[in-house]
């Protein structure tokens, strides 16, 4: 057996129990919950720590996430894996929907459509996923988003349909 001799890169990170934030769905509106994550009152979800992205802006029906592409986001062909863009879009789109929901309500993604326009690399710099709700109904909501760099160049865009989950009562 031959071992590959290479310079090892190590990444370690901590995350909090996700049940603390998810319990807030029952006591806070969606926007209040997201604002609590941003201000540190509630911990971010583990996925945000795993991929190293964060919410940077929140409005009614609008949420912006930011990430700076790193080597640990790379695929085997030397660019950022498309899964980063898809996850970033899915997170921003879902949180845009969450931002318009009352306490006791949540959502789950029914579908996600992503269009990749250009590759991201470590040289791309910070990118933002800017998401806006298109429709927020009683049972479903839709949203659209774009991933853009500091110059406004679009790297990917996507849409979602979410099933709105409401507390029985």
């Amino acid at each position: 057996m031959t071992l590959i001799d290479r310079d090892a890169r190590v990444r370690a990170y901590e995350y909090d129990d996700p049940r603390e934030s998810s319990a807030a769905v029952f006591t806070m509106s969606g926007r209040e919950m997201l604002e609590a994550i941003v201000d540190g009152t509630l911990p971010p979800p583990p996925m945000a720590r795993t991929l190293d992205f964060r919410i940077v802006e929140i409005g009614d029906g609008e949420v912006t996430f930011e990430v700076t592409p790193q080597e640990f986001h790379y695929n085997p062909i030397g660019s950022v894996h498309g899964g980063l863009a898809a996850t970033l879009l899915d997170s921003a789109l879902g949180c845009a929907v969450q931002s318009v929901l009352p306490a006791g309500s949540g959502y789950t993604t029914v579908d996600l459509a992503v269009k990749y326009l250009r590759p991201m690399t470590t040289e791309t710099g910070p990118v933002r996923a800017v998401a806006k709700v298109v429709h927020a109904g009683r049972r479903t909501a839709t949203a659209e988003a774009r991933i853009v760099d500091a110059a406004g160049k679009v790297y990917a865009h996507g849409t979602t349909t979410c099933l709105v989950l409401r507390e029985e009562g």
Side-chain angles (χ1 to χ4, degrees), residues 85-99:
T87 303
L88 191 63
L89 287 167
D90 186 44
S91 298
L93 290 161
C95 286
V97 168
Q98 186 68 35
S99 75

Side-chain angles (χ1 to χ4, degrees), residues 3-147:
L3 295 177
I4 298 172
D5 185 26
R6 60 177 185 199
D7 293 330
R9 287 169 167 82
V10 176
R11 179 169 182 260
Y13 60 95
E14 295 180 4
Y15 61 91
D16 297 287
D17 184 343
R19 293 173 290 193
E20 184 178 346
S21 290
S22 61
V25 167
F26 299 104
T27 60
M28 299 177 162
S29 71
R31 183 168 176 175
E32 290 169 338
M33 182 178 139
L34 295 171
E35 289 171 342
I37 291 170
V38 170
D39 73 21
T41 305
L42 288 174
M47 181 57 81
R49 297 262 198 228
T50 302
L51 293 180
D52 200 26
F53 60 74
R54 65 192 175 94
I55 299 171
V56 293
E57 293 178 26
I58 303 167
D60 288 327
E62 298 182 14
V63 172
T64 301
F65 276 69
E66 184 174 81
V67 67
T68 301
Q70 303 293 323
E71 274 188 347
F72 61 82
H73 295 129
Y74 270 43
N75 60 29
I77 62 171
S79 62
V80 171
H81 191 283
L84 176 67
T87 303
L88 191 63
L89 287 167
D90 186 44
S91 298
L93 290 161
C95 286
V97 168
Q98 186 68 35
S99 75
V100 299
L101 297 179
S105 299
Y107 70 92
T108 190
T109 301
V110 173
D111 68 29
L112 173 69
V114 178
K115 305 297 183 205
Y116 301 96
L117 305 178
R118 58 181 41 92
M120 290 186 282
T121 68
T122 55
E123 287 76 39
T124 302
V127 294
R128 289 183 170 211
V130 181
K132 295 182 181 190
V133 170
V134 174
H135 167 77
R138 191 169 121 60
R139 295 179 187 225
T140 61
T142 61
E144 58 191 13
R146 293 176 174 209
I147 295 178

